[in-house]
Amino acid sequence: MKKLYSIEVINDCTNTIYLPADASIPSNLKRAAFGTMKVEAFIAVQKFGGNVIRISEDLIQALKIPPTLPILHVFYDKDVLYIGPLVGIFTSGFSSVEVKPIGERTIIFSKLLAVQNTAGVTAFLFGAQHIDWDKGTINGLFYHDGWKRFEVPFPDVIYDRIPNRRTESLPKIKKVKYRLQQEYMIPWYNPGFFNKLDIYERLLQENSIADFLPETLPFTSFSVVERMLSNYGHIYIKPKNGSLGKGIYQVIYNKKDENYYTRFKEPSGEKRLLKFDTLEKLIQHITAKTNINNLLVQQGIHLMRSEKKPIDFRVHTNKNKQGKWEVTAIAAKIAGAGSATTHMNSGGIVKSIDELLDVDKDKEQLKEKLINSALRISKTLEKYTEGTIGEIGFDIGVDRKGRVWLFEANSKPGRSIFKHSSLKKGDLLTRRMSLEYAIYLYEQSIKKPEDIFK
């Protein structure tokens, strides 16, 4: 297990770093690094207690270590002592309001940064506008007894939290990403957003994963909808790049009255159930305001139920500081009355698996099935995806026969679903491990950069 060290400032010497005896460092170290900043320094071992790195004040300033004095790791390679990692969280939507510097997402980021010492990293937020390319520094936003700004070097690792596809496609965002990765060779994780149909087609290439996938096709013609509805009784028509359950239509054929029904939510939030005597009329209603090229059609699944309502599961996976996948949190989502989905903004209710009522399956066996499935899919998805993935949020269903189905995979998963009191342990773990993965990337970039930048 990698050790954590706190930093102590000393004033009786200059350009000096003292490490405790158990740091086990070689005697040839001549430079110190924090982020992309490297300076020459006198580095020695002293016999003093505690896991403390003592650094002279002038060196603190030269390395631009923030006055928050974080708890960090140390690594070495050749003649350099690396203190870190310094993790930059790249995002957008910054505000001039001091107490809400990221607008409505401020609380999300404050909770994320609150676990940095436990993780053993120092983390900060930044956007394209905070970079000084000439100096090689960033005016980073730190959370320590409130929000504060400090000038720091370019980070060791970057965690991508750009909020949406539109922002990600902006030229200035693309330029930052290109320069920091290509010119400065900084590891960057969780880039981009998954496209539902693209993910489906990639995972379909693996026979061991294909059984988890409900039939999913692009909305190319009326006949596709007709055939799938005939096969499955109900289907979902949804946006290829949607989120939060927006724009999803459940389509049902009732054999008794020979009518077609669609269940959906209006942009205003009102839930609707409409009846049509022909499938043509129903499809015309759905496509009147939507480009069919942006839609896909997905097989409906008869899900297991709790309290007579369908349930599915949010399963969050993270890579740990050894670079291995782990399941960090599982939440059960119970569909709201009259809702086409289990999303909370459609009236869905979140519970832990242990809290589910009248579930006729062994709950420990159910957890194990979800964990094994999510880990297998994570490893496969990583294999077929460009860039470095550090976490994934899955929407997974289990049908009445116990078969597992993957509905969606999210490359930038939210954590608000885990605020339920019985899921707080998972919430904390997902946040901590999303930062801990940076430790693995940091060490690899120092010792095996060819594995990171291949």
Side-chain angles (χ1 to χ4, degrees):
M1 186 174 177
K2 298 179 180 70
K3 266 192 148 179
L4 290 173
Y5 297 90
S6 59
I7 293 175
E8 181 181 306
V9 182
I10 50 178
N11 298 300
D12 57 356
C13 59
T14 59
N15 203 41
T16 299
I17 297 178
Y18 290 122
L19 294 163
D22 66 356
S24 302
I25 63 164
S27 59
N28 66 327
L29 298 180
K30 297 176 181 177
R31 292 182 293 164
F34 179 71
T36 55
M37 192 72 71
K38 286 190 181 77
V39 298
E40 291 190 0
F42 173 73
I43 301 168
V45 171
Q46 276 196 338
K47 292 183 179 180
F48 51 80
N51 298 323
V52 180
I53 304 171
R54 293 177 175 170
I55 307 178
S56 60
E57 188 171 5
D58 63 323
L59 203 52
I60 290 278
Q61 294 175 5
L63 289 169
K64 296 192 179 298
I65 296 175
T68 54
L69 298 180
I71 298 173
L72 296 169
H73 295 78
V74 295
F75 299 100
Y76 61 86
D77 185 58
K78 298 183 175 66
D79 67 341
V80 182
L81 175 73
Y82 293 89
I83 304 167
L86 177 62
V87 181
I89 301 172
F90 185 56
T91 190
S92 64
F94 289 88
S95 161
S96 58
V97 180
E98 199 170 303
V99 293
K100 280 193 170 183
I102 317 292
E104 296 305 313
R105 294 184 298 144
T106 298
I107 184 65
I108 295 171
F109 285 114
S110 64
K111 288 178 70 176
L112 176 61
L113 294 179
V115 300
Q116 60 185 306
N117 276 353
T118 308
V121 308
T122 185
F124 66 92
L125 305 180
F126 76 105
Q129 68 271 38
H130 303 126
I131 303 172
D132 188 323
W133 295 104
D134 294 330
K135 293 170 64 178
T137 61
I138 295 173
N139 189 23
L141 186 62
F142 289 76
Y143 185 72
H144 185 78
D145 295 329
W147 291 99
K148 297 179 177 67
R149 284 204 175 275
F150 302 113
E151 185 184 41
V152 290
F154 286 173
D156 298 299
V157 182
I158 295 173
Y159 177 22
D160 190 323
R161 290 303 299 190
I162 290 294
N164 53 60
R165 290 176 173 85
R166 182 187 61 80
T167 303
E168 183 184 55
S169 66
L170 294 174
K172 65 178 181 180
I173 300 297
K174 289 182 175 181
K175 180 180 177 182
V176 168
K177 184 175 175 180
Y178 178 85
R179 290 195 67 180
L180 290 176
Q181 287 187 97
Q182 301 301 319
E183 295 179 24
Y184 293 87
M185 302 295 285
I186 299 175
W188 189 296
Y189 64 106
N190 280 34
F193 291 82
F194 293 154
N195 172 294
K196 293 183 177 68
L197 193 57
D198 183 52
I199 290 300
Y200 175 81
E201 290 172 347
R202 292 184 186 202
L203 292 178
L204 204 57
Q205 297 177 59
E206 288 283 336
N207 292 334
S208 62
I209 301 298
D211 284 346
F212 295 140
L213 305 176
E215 185 178 6
T216 306
L217 295 172
F219 192 148
T220 53
S221 67
F222 172 83
S223 61
V224 168
V225 179
E226 188 175 41
R227 193 266 302 167
M228 289 184 66
L229 195 56
S230 173
N231 287 351
Y232 306 116
H234 78 285
I235 60 171
Y236 287 90
I237 297 176
K238 55 175 71 173
K240 291 178 181 177
N241 295 318
S243 62
L244 302 175
K246 295 177 182 177
I248 296 179
Y249 292 81
Q250 183 185 30
V251 178
I252 306 161
Y253 175 63
N254 188 317
K255 291 182 179 179
K256 291 182 180 178
D257 64 11
E258 298 184 343
N259 285 312
Y260 297 86
Y261 296 82
T262 181
R263 196 187 301 275
F264 62 99
K265 189 175 75 169
E266 297 277 14
S268 63
E270 180 186 2
K271 296 175 193 172
R272 301 289 301 278
L273 176 65
L274 301 182
K275 180 173 77 171
F276 297 87
D277 57 5
T278 68
L279 182 57
E280 289 91 338
K281 291 178 183 177
L282 184 151
I283 297 302
Q284 286 172 5
H285 174 82
I286 292 176
T287 58
K289 300 177 183 178
T290 307
N291 185 337
I292 66 168
N293 294 324
N294 296 328
L295 297 174
L296 55 81
V297 186
Q298 189 170 81
Q299 169 188 349
I301 304 296
H302 294 287
L303 293 170
M304 61 185 295
R305 302 170 83 85
S306 177
E307 302 169 50
K308 300 182 179 179
K309 295 175 183 176
I311 58 174
D312 64 12
F313 304 89
R314 169 64 56 80
V315 184
H316 198 112
T317 62
N318 287 82
K319 276 200 167 179
N320 59 25
K321 53 190 172 183
Q322 285 79 42
K324 306 295 184 184
W325 284 106
E326 288 187 26
V327 169
T328 44
I330 302 176
K333 302 180 294 173
I334 305 174
S339 175
T341 72
T342 59
H343 291 85
M344 287 186 290
N345 62 2
S346 295
I349 299 170
V350 175
K351 292 187 177 184
S352 69
I353 290 179
D354 292 333
E355 293 173 313
L356 292 176
L357 303 175
D358 56 53
V359 172
D360 58 354
K361 289 180 171 54
D362 182 283
K363 290 178 180 175
E364 289 305 314
Q365 189 180 59
L366 176 60
K367 288 179 195 174
E368 196 64 31
K369 183 178 288 191
L370 291 169
I371 288 169
N372 290 338
S373 303
L375 291 177
R376 284 171 61 190
I377 299 168
S378 295
K379 293 169 186 175
T380 305
L381 196 54
E382 178 184 30
K383 178 179 172 182
Y384 289 106
T385 303
E386 292 182 7
T388 302
I389 309 174
E391 62 183 340
I392 308 173
F394 293 108
D395 286 330
I396 293 176
V398 179
D399 67 22
R400 296 169 193 176
K401 295 180 180 179
R403 181 173 172 180
V404 172
W405 297 91
L406 171 65
F407 297 137
E408 290 190 22
N410 190 334
S411 61
K412 288 187 171 64
R415 297 178 176 82
S416 60
I417 191 170
F418 302 118
K419 66 184 180 184
H420 185 281
S421 58
S422 63
L423 299 171
K424 285 184 177 179
K425 183 178 178 181
D427 173 40
L428 180 64
L429 190 57
T430 66
R431 286 185 277 130
R432 195 189 79 219
M433 286 187 61
S434 69
L435 295 178
E436 281 186 345
Y437 180 50
I439 300 166
Y440 170 79
L441 293 176
Y442 176 53
E443 185 175 14
Q444 292 296 103
S445 70
I446 295 168
K447 298 184 176 180
K448 297 180 180 179
E450 67 278 3
D451 291 348
I452 298 290
F453 306 110
K454 53 189 175 182

